[in-house]
Amino acid sequence: MRAERSVRWWPVVLLLTAAGVSTPAASVVPRTPVAWAGVSPRPDPAPTGTPAPDRTTPAAARLWPVGVHPPVVRGWEPPATPYGPGHRGVDLAAAPGDLVRTVAAGRVTFAGRVAGRGVVSVELAGTGAPPLRTTYEPVRASVRTGDTVRPGEVLGVLEPPTAHCAGPCLHWGLRRGETYLNPLSLLPPWLLRAGPSRLLRVEGVALP
């Protein structure tokens, strides 16, 4: 009789299992997540407070900010975190007294001194929202906040070197909102490749 009752209960157990009802024995087994084929697990929420990288910087510059094709003595080294170490711009070799020019048209948003250094910031026209903003230091400004400037217009002259560089240099920076970008990305390829101009000797031409 006991064997006969056991046989009678098996259809009931199978029916409850198919319906998704756990039996007492199954309830003690921990459930593990199932990875379905073709379905990715839900990603963790993106961290807040870290600006997304900008990949839409237009090549809006028409010239270098100093000289014709100055050597880059230190390149752009983006920090791994918003407040981590790095180099948020590029350093261009130049001499004190060299003219510093805006690389594109825009509006001067700051012209003054920060921590003893002269700084000029220019918000570039037609570069989206928020617009791109370039900075130049150390510069003794010849423009004022609110001035509208055209490409190549003089912003001031390079001041004597500070502790930022081993020798005289212009620190050139670029930002969109709170995101630091590589200012060299403003330069079109032909301007990056261009070398300094040289005067060549010409033979067989009569002097005026």
Side-chain angles (χ1 to χ4, degrees), residues 22-205:
S22 299
T23 63
S27 62
V28 299
V29 179
R31 303 181 65 181
T32 56
V34 178
W36 298 97
V39 179
S40 301
R42 179 178 297 178
D44 295 332
T48 58
T50 302
D54 183 279
R55 297 183 177 87
T56 59
T57 304
R62 294 294 174 264
L63 72 165
W64 289 81
V66 64
V68 177
H69 195 289
V72 178
V73 295
R74 185 178 179 185
W76 185 59
E77 301 166 11
T81 60
Y83 302 102
H87 191 226
R88 297 166 173 83
V90 297
D91 294 337
L92 307 177
D98 283 354
L99 297 178
V100 179
R101 304 175 184 273
T102 179
V103 298
R107 180 177 61 89
V108 178
T109 56
F110 181 82
R113 306 199 73 78
V114 177
R117 300 188 304 272
V119 179
V120 178
S121 296
V122 178
E123 187 178 274
L124 303 185
T127 54
L132 294 171
R133 184 168 73 252
T134 55
T135 58
Y136 312 82
E137 59 178 294
V139 176
R140 186 169 71 248
S142 57
V143 293
R144 294 180 296 179
T145 301
D147 286 352
T148 300
V149 291
R150 297 166 298 183
E153 190 164 339
V154 175
L155 302 174
V157 297
L158 188 69
E159 293 182 332
T162 63
H164 181 78
C165 294
C169 76
L170 172 72
H171 178 79
W172 180 28
L174 176 67
R175 288 173 61 178
R176 185 188 294 279
E178 298 302 318
T179 303
Y180 288 89
L181 305 169
N182 184 358
L184 295 181
S185 62
L186 284 173
L187 298 173
W190 64 267
L191 195 53
L192 284 169
R193 290 192 301 265
S197 301
R198 293 186 302 166
L199 296 177
L200 302 179
R201 184 174 180 178
V202 179
E203 302 287 350
V205 177

